[in-house]
Amino acid sequence: MRHARLERRALVAGILARRGDAAVVAGLGSAAWDCHAAGDSPLNFYFWGAMGGAAMLGLGVALVRSDRRVLVVTGDAEMLMGMGSLAAIAAQAPSNLALLVLDNEAFGETGRQAGLTGKNTDIAAIARGAGIETAFTVGDEGGEGSSGTDVEALATTLAATLFEEEGPVLCVAKVALSSEPDSYPPRDGVLLRTRFRAALAGD
């Protein structure tokens, strides 16, 4: 039975409004669109392809720039594609890395087919099994819809955890399967790489 209820784009916007100078790696699809809609930044790296690679890129950035907080924002299907990355993250244990998995329990970019997390798969439990001690799920309490106030309050709480608590941290947010206005970041991979690299270097 599906219990997803959080407003995905509002939640992401509320969290990123409190990011400070954190670097953000956005997995392909809705995660990238939501991060872009919240406000484009040179410190955002958006995936247009390479499904399953967001968490590993986030790990690499966190290890190279241990002085900067790194947040990976991705979807449930993209996280499942790169599930092995959770073991690598647990082994490296970067204290500055957090992951936000937007779980709509569907394959949203390919036709909204029912996904695996609406059945028996629990990404937070898998993360804990891999060795990520702070891994939890929000938004699965049941009920339909949630008010803007609820999402704003949750975003404030989650931002404190994702940006301030010692990592690695993983939060699965059960979100509603919704249609949001298009908000596409640049598609030029060289541009995205170059500006992200420069922003990380402080240029």
Side-chain angles (χ1 to χ4, degrees):
M1 182 176 179
R2 191 170 191 281
H3 295 305
R5 66 180 185 89
L6 298 171
E7 297 172 28
R8 191 192 76 230
R9 184 156 291 183
L11 181 67
V12 172
I15 291 170
L16 293 188
R18 298 162 175 82
R19 67 184 286 180
D21 64 352
V24 174
V25 175
L28 76 169
S30 297
W33 319 156
D34 291 346
C35 289
H36 185 260
D40 189 26
S41 167
L43 281 169
N44 288 0
F45 185 87
Y46 308 98
F47 270 71
W48 278 94
M51 186 171 180
M56 285 305 289
L57 178 61
L59 172 61
V61 174
L63 292 175
V64 171
R65 290 303 309 266
S66 58
D67 59 325
R68 186 186 293 273
R69 193 70 175 190
V70 179
L71 174 66
V72 175
V73 182
T74 192
D76 52 299
E78 206 270 350
M79 188 69 255
L80 288 172
M81 180 73 79
M83 193 61 76
S85 62
L86 295 177
I89 289 169
Q92 294 292 329
S95 62
N96 58 325
L97 179 63
L99 298 93
L100 174 64
V101 182
L102 304 171
D103 183 3
N104 60 15
E105 300 180 359
F107 299 110
E109 301 303 314
T110 61
R112 299 189 166 201
Q113 303 92 340
L116 301 174
T117 54
K119 301 181 184 298
N120 300 319
T121 303
D122 183 334
I123 292 175
I126 293 170
R128 289 192 298 272
I132 299 175
E133 293 183 8
T134 306
F136 58 95
T137 300
V138 297
D140 60 350
E141 296 84 0
E144 294 296 325
S146 59
S147 71
T149 302
D150 292 338
V151 171
E152 183 67 19
L154 179 59
T156 300
T157 300
L158 288 181
T161 300
L162 295 170
F163 294 127
E164 299 173 20
E165 189 164 331
E166 184 172 357
V169 174
L170 181 142
C171 171
V172 176
K174 291 286 189 175
V175 295
L177 184 59
S178 59
S179 296
E180 307 290 352
D182 293 340
S183 184
Y184 297 141
R187 298 190 69 139
D188 186 334
V190 174
L191 168 66
L192 292 173
R193 180 198 65 195
T194 301
R195 73 173 196 169
F196 188 61
R197 212 179 250 176
L200 287 174
D203 296 339

